[in-house]
Amino acid sequence: MPSFDIVSRIDLAEVDNAVAGVMREIATRFDFKGSQSSLKHEESALIIVADDALKLKQMHELLKGHLTRRKIDAGVLDFAEPEKAAGNTLRQTVKLRQGIDRELARKLVQAIKDAKLKVQAAIQGEELRVSGKKRDDLQSTIERIKALQVEQPLQFMNFRD
């Protein structure tokens, strides 16, 4: 029986490379000269420290640009509210979304059921397995899910006949 998995994964090594690229660019840019701006990768989050709101916004743009160059969708970033830190700086935690949470999984299963295709969807931890008798039904399901435009990037893996 043909099937495929819907997952949301990111390559953390590429995230590290993007963070290193942002730090290199901050070190060489004139507008960041003498600032205390920094970016660190800690487990499943990034910590941004900036002098003011303008530099924080510029760091957001740099981070999104470097992630895109590394073929990582910027939708994996979940920005928290900036908070005041020591020395009149701003600190912001950016969570990296990975895995499909229960709420999103239920939304995807409901969308698949509403499409009235002859496929079954099963939630398996942080991924979704879709199976059906015909390959065409599975391909239509993939198109429907892509059309939903979920803010979290999804990958379709393990397509088996």
Side-chain angles (χ1 to χ4, degrees):
M1 184 176 230
S3 67
F4 69 91
D5 296 332
I6 303 172
V7 298
S8 179
R9 295 185 189 146
I10 53 176
D11 187 2
L12 294 178
E14 290 296 332
V15 172
D16 284 337
N17 292 338
V19 167
V22 169
M23 288 307 297
R24 272 193 309 275
E25 191 165 340
I26 287 173
T28 60
R29 279 180 53 162
F30 181 74
D31 54 344
F32 281 100
K33 192 165 190 97
S35 76
Q36 298 175 355
S37 301
S38 68
L39 176 65
K40 289 188 293 188
H41 181 210
E42 295 179 356
E43 293 182 26
S44 63
L46 301 173
I47 310 294
I48 300 175
V49 177
D51 293 340
D52 53 31
L54 177 66
K55 284 195 176 41
L56 186 67
K57 186 171 188 250
Q58 288 175 334
M59 288 184 69
H60 287 183
E61 296 304 318
L62 284 174
L63 180 60
K64 288 177 184 177
H66 279 269
L67 284 174
T68 304
R69 285 183 213 147
R70 295 275 175 190
K71 295 185 177 38
I72 296 175
D73 192 343
V76 300
L77 302 174
D78 185 18
F79 293 98
E81 285 294 317
E83 54 193 41
K84 296 213 181 275
N88 287 336
T89 59
L90 292 174
R91 180 185 317 128
Q92 185 174 31
T93 304
V94 182
K95 292 181 183 170
L96 298 172
R97 293 187 212 157
Q98 199 167 358
I100 299 174
D101 61 339
R102 288 239 178 256
E103 183 179 319
L104 179 59
R106 286 188 187 124
K107 180 180 173 185
L108 294 174
V109 168
Q110 190 60 44
I112 291 170
K113 285 182 180 177
D114 290 345
K116 299 207 188 288
L117 295 169
K118 295 183 181 180
V119 296
Q120 294 81 37
I123 301 171
Q124 296 180 341
E126 292 188 343
E127 59 185 46
L128 208 63
R129 163 104 7 116
V130 179
S131 58
K133 289 185 178 180
K134 294 182 181 175
R135 183 179 196 161
D136 293 341
D137 290 340
L138 295 178
Q139 290 173 339
S140 321
T141 304
I142 290 174
E143 288 177 20
R144 295 272 180 150
I145 291 174
K146 284 182 179 177
L148 288 177
Q149 295 189 356
V150 182
E151 68 271 357
Q152 186 171 349
L154 300 173
Q155 294 91 30
F156 304 97
M157 305 179 77
N158 299 334
F159 197 102
R160 297 189 190 109
D161 272 333

